[in-house]
Amino acid sequence: MARKKKVRSIVQEFDDYFGTGTLEDWQRLCHDVGLEGYYGSITQCRKALRTVHVNIRDLLEAVKQGEKPRRFASAAQLVAYTVNTRKFYPLSKVKEMGPVKVLLRNML
């Protein structure tokens, strides 16, 4: 039961952070993960975010503290970190075209 509550909590926390999915929400996400430059469309934001390797839970914590999250040089480094810290985002809660989908990396 505690695990389900934790899953709901992280999903709700990201949903609250991200907002409704406007261009401004996507631009804020780009900024918060440390991407510089201007992204004039959601498509541009998506493409840019695919190059960023951050742990979603760490991202949320960093935003709360007014900091940038740790960025990893590769997906493999992010995967190793995520497995070691067990800071996973529940796959069953990923929306097909949402921001979490863009940030997720294959853990296998």
Side-chain angles (χ1 to χ4, degrees):
M1 190 64 145
R3 181 167 154 45
K4 281 186 178 182
K5 205 173 202 179
K6 191 174 186 178
V7 165
R8 259 190 305 239
S9 174
I10 191 68
V11 171
Q12 186 62 54
E13 191 175 338
F14 190 87
D15 287 349
D16 290 346
Y17 156 74
F18 186 69
T20 60
T22 65
L23 174 57
E24 291 78 20
D25 294 330
W26 284 90
Q27 289 169 330
R28 184 182 67 253
L29 177 58
C30 287
H31 175 265
D32 288 349
V33 299
L35 290 172
E36 297 192 20
Y38 176 74
Y39 302 95
S41 71
I42 291 174
T43 299
Q44 288 177 340
C45 291
R46 281 181 196 280
K47 287 180 182 177
L49 288 165
R50 284 189 193 112
T51 68
V52 175
H53 308 292
V54 297
N55 180 279
I56 294 169
R57 294 172 106 179
D58 286 353
L59 165 65
L60 294 170
E61 190 61 36
V63 167
K64 283 183 200 172
Q65 297 174 4
E67 300 173 356
K68 298 287 183 212
R70 176 179 177 188
R71 284 176 56 177
F72 296 86
S74 70
Q77 288 177 349
L78 171 60
V79 169
Y81 169 82
T82 302
V83 169
N84 286 336
T85 60
R86 311 230 6 105
K87 292 182 177 182
F88 296 103
Y89 188 92
L91 287 177
S92 63
K93 301 298 182 186
V94 175
K95 295 175 180 131
E96 189 59 37
M97 296 301 290
V100 170
K101 175 87 171 175
V102 175
L103 292 173
L104 281 180
R105 300 296 176 260
N106 189 345
M107 294 288 162
L108 299 177

